[in-house]
Amino acid sequence: MKNYRETLDDNSKKVYDLFKKYKPESNTFIETGCHLGGGITKAINAGYNKIYSCDINMDRVEHCINLISEMAFNGYDFVEPWIFNCSSAQFLLQLLPTIDTDATFWLDAHDEGGGVPLFEELGLIKGLFKNNTSTIIMDDISLYISDKGLKELQTIIKEINPDYNFEFIDTSRPESILVAYIG
């Protein structure tokens, strides 16, 4: 039987490998934009057991809840995840003050409902999240962020913690994923 990673395409393997690489001891995964559950599924298979996600589309939220229920039925061991039907800003505003451990962030909310909320999400992380050494992984950078925007993005992240380092991960598009990490 194939292991989970072997079932993924090359781009999904890169994301899964990032989730494993940056998995904190707290096992906490915070995602904006659950879409059809790809990030959640990768996070669970990478060993996270505290999963928090959101989406503005209720059909996708329900799809992810059903997907996770099926995974639990099939023997996956994790704390019940929390998936919210709201904007990423509303989600982070409610969630961040309640989390007191490190986490891996997967910021992937975009388009529907008002463009790319990445800058707002980072502002909320800066202002509300207690652990300023958590890894922040941001998807679709090359699609939505200009070179000028990228410099602004890195400046905001350095305001969260000046010790952040940056790594670009190429997936199907060059420099598609930006990782901010300490180390």
Side-chain angles (χ1 to χ4, degrees), residues 68-173:
I68 290 167
S69 294
E70 184 178 315
M71 291 178 76
F73 179 78
N74 289 321
Y76 282 84
D77 185 29
F78 50 88
V79 173
E80 183 156 335
W82 297 92
I83 304 174
F84 298 85
N85 178 221
C86 61
S87 72
S88 62
Q90 292 168 320
F91 167 69
L92 293 174
L93 194 59
Q94 291 175 340
L95 177 68
L96 293 179
T98 70
I99 306 291
D100 60 0
T101 64
D102 58 347
T104 299
F105 286 90
W106 174 241
L107 303 180
D108 193 21
H110 47 76
D111 277 340
E112 302 165 51
V116 182
L118 184 57
F119 289 95
E120 184 177 10
E121 292 170 350
L122 290 169
L124 290 167
I125 291 169
K126 176 184 169 191
L128 298 174
F129 195 59
K130 298 171 182 114
N131 187 305
N132 68 354
T133 60
S134 292
T135 299
I136 304 169
I137 306 172
M138 297 149 280
D139 196 21
D140 299 321
I141 295 299
S142 60
L143 281 179
Y144 298 107
I145 306 297
S146 67
D147 288 342
K148 180 181 176 192
L150 180 59
K151 287 180 179 42
E152 291 174 35
L153 194 67
Q154 290 173 317
T155 298
I156 291 169
I157 293 168
K158 288 283 193 178
E159 289 172 358
I160 295 170
N161 186 328
D163 294 330
Y164 270 117
N165 296 300
F166 299 101
E167 174 184 11
F168 279 105
I169 307 297
D170 292 344
T171 57
S172 58
R173 296 171 306 278

Side-chain angles (χ1 to χ4, degrees), residues 34-37 40 54-67 83-86 112:
C34 66
H35 196 247
L36 297 176
I40 293 168
C54 70
D55 205 288
I56 59 173
N57 182 305
M58 188 59 188
D59 290 337
R60 290 195 294 247
V61 169
E62 288 174 355
H63 173 84
C64 289
I65 290 169
N66 291 334
L67 176 69
I83 304 174
F84 298 85
N85 178 221
C86 61
E112 302 165 51

